[in-house]
Amino acid sequence: MIISGKELSARLKAEMAEQVASFPGKYGRVPHLVVILVGDDPASVSYVTGKAKASEVTGIRNTTIRKPDTISEAELLDLIRQLNEDDTVDGILVQLPLPAHICEARVIEAISKDKDVDGFHPLNVAALWQKQPCVLPCTPKGIIKMLKAAGVGIAGKRAVVIGRSNIVGLPVAKLLLDENATVTIAHSRTADLPSITRQAEILVVAIGRPKFVTADMVSEGAVVIDVGVNRDPETGKLCGDVDFAAIEPKASVITPVPGGVGPMTICCLMENTIECFLRRQG
Ligand code: NAP
């Protein structure tokens, strides 16, 4: 079974559009997401465009603020401060990566935790690890939604996550743990990775290496979630971290790239914006 993140996200966005359409009558306005893009990195431009399109589909107001990559850290922090204080703004997202002269951690920390729709603020991260109410990071949240939509039971399963980044590996491991999976986190220093991945009933791969996970690393019937977004060095086309063609016949459930986790990430960004809006309405 191939889980189409494209189809699932389209369905969820249609439901959100209905919900958002009721907001002007109830609250006098719709949620407002502000996206800040620094510089003109093509991948970042395309991600920001995707976020604007999803906002349009769901009826969320989107403002994209573009700044040159010469902007100073102080100017960017000042812009964020103004948006924090602006009552008409519900969500603030600064597209990463930022130019080297700007400290990403300081920028993330500057965003009000209540408008941090990415769920990257240290207070949201701490709340996630303490099982307190928080804004969940979009990609991990989307992965859990995909597993549930595909009817995959998570409780009691042996889950392996390859990758331990703050934005994907660590939080998805915590969400799987919260769903009562038994979780192993693997990384670049893991010894004998294939022997670990072969134990996985649920395998989540977030490393950023084209087709790194090969068929011999996956057990028969495993559920495989591919987070990677890479260029295939041979074809130049988008591909994941998993060798999809070789693993699809072996896996019980698998996500494609493109059209898998990516669309669910944007979908969850919309959901987080609505959640932040509703929380701010009291
Ligand atoms: P990252 O910050 O670069 O982290 C990569 C992780 O992979 C690190 O923990 C690293 O281990 C591990 N790793 C690297 N090479 C490895 C190897 N040979 N064996 C085992 N582990 C290895 O990357 P990220 O931000 O988590 O992103 C991962 C991928 O997901 C990228 O392709 C990115 O574009 C994609 N992504 C997609 C979405 C989406 O919505 N679809 C969202 C976010 C990211 P160490 O910690 O030991 O260095």
Side-chain angles (χ1 to χ4, degrees):
M1 176 192 190
I2 299 172
I3 319 179
S4 168
K6 207 173 157 186
E7 280 170 24
L8 177 59
S9 68
R11 214 163 58 231
L12 295 173
K13 281 186 287 186
E15 285 170 18
M16 281 186 249
E18 268 185 41
Q19 187 190 11
V20 171
S22 73
F23 289 166
K26 283 187 199 156
Y27 307 111
R29 66 181 184 89
V30 295
H32 183 193
L33 170 65
V34 176
V35 177
I36 303 173
L37 172 61
V38 178
D40 50 13
D41 169 63
S44 294
V45 171
S46 127
Y47 289 136
V48 166
T49 307
K51 287 162 188 173
K53 277 191 190 148
S55 302
E56 204 180 314
V57 169
T58 49
I60 289 172
R61 179 177 162 205
N62 182 297
T63 304
T64 300
I65 301 176
R66 290 194 70 157
K67 292 287 177 189
D69 57 12
T70 50
I71 188 174
S72 69
E73 184 180 291
E75 283 172 297
L76 184 57
L77 294 177
D78 192 49
L79 172 61
I80 292 169
R81 189 187 50 73
Q82 288 171 34
L83 295 168
N84 283 340
E85 287 169 4
D86 186 338
D87 262 347
T88 69
V89 173
D90 303 292
I92 304 168
L93 182 152
V94 179
Q95 185 64 46
L96 302 177
L98 290 168
H101 66 277
I102 299 176
C103 170
E104 284 185 0
R106 259 197 294 274
V107 168
I108 290 168
E109 235 177 294
I111 298 170
S112 156
K113 79 164 182 26
D114 299 322
K115 297 188 179 185
D116 166 39
V117 281
D118 256 338
F120 293 165
H121 190 286
L123 289 174
N124 276 318
V125 176
L128 165 67
W129 286 88
Q130 293 178 0
K131 274 198 171 180
Q132 298 295 318
C134 63
V135 184
L136 291 176
C138 302
T139 303
K141 185 178 183 177
I143 291 170
I144 300 296
K145 275 186 194 290
M146 289 178 104
L147 290 171
K148 289 189 172 171
V152 174
I154 305 174
K157 292 278 166 61
R158 188 175 277 265
V160 175
V161 177
I162 320 182
R164 54 177 165 179
S165 70
N166 287 333
I167 63 167
V168 190
L170 288 181
V172 80
K174 174 65 168 91
L175 292 185
L176 288 165
L177 191 61
D178 288 347
E179 296 289 338
N180 297 311
T182 301
V183 184
T184 300
I185 304 175
H187 45 79
S188 67
R189 307 286 292 274
T190 297
D192 194 6
L193 183 62
S195 74
I196 306 228
T197 55
R198 275 195 291 269
Q199 292 175 34
E201 293 170 280
I202 299 172
L203 178 64
V204 179
V205 191
I207 57 181
R209 289 174 186 254
K211 298 182 180 176
F212 176 86
V213 175
T214 47
D216 60 307
M217 295 170 74
V218 176
S219 68
E220 200 70 44
V223 172
V224 180
I225 304 290
D226 190 352
V227 186
V229 180
N230 314 294
R231 288 271 161 211
D232 185 328
E234 282 163 21
T235 63
K237 290 187 179 160
L238 274 190
C239 75
D241 289 343
V242 164
D243 185 349
F244 183 89
I247 291 174
E248 195 254 328
K250 227 177 164 182
S252 61
V253 174
I254 189 165
T255 62
V257 177
V261 173
M264 288 304 295
T265 297
I266 296 191
C267 176
C268 289
L269 175 67
M270 299 299 115
E271 198 178 277
N272 282 354
T273 305
I274 293 171
E275 279 176 21
C276 287
F277 167 82
L278 287 174
R279 230 172 276 135
R280 297 184 66 249
Q281 305 305 312

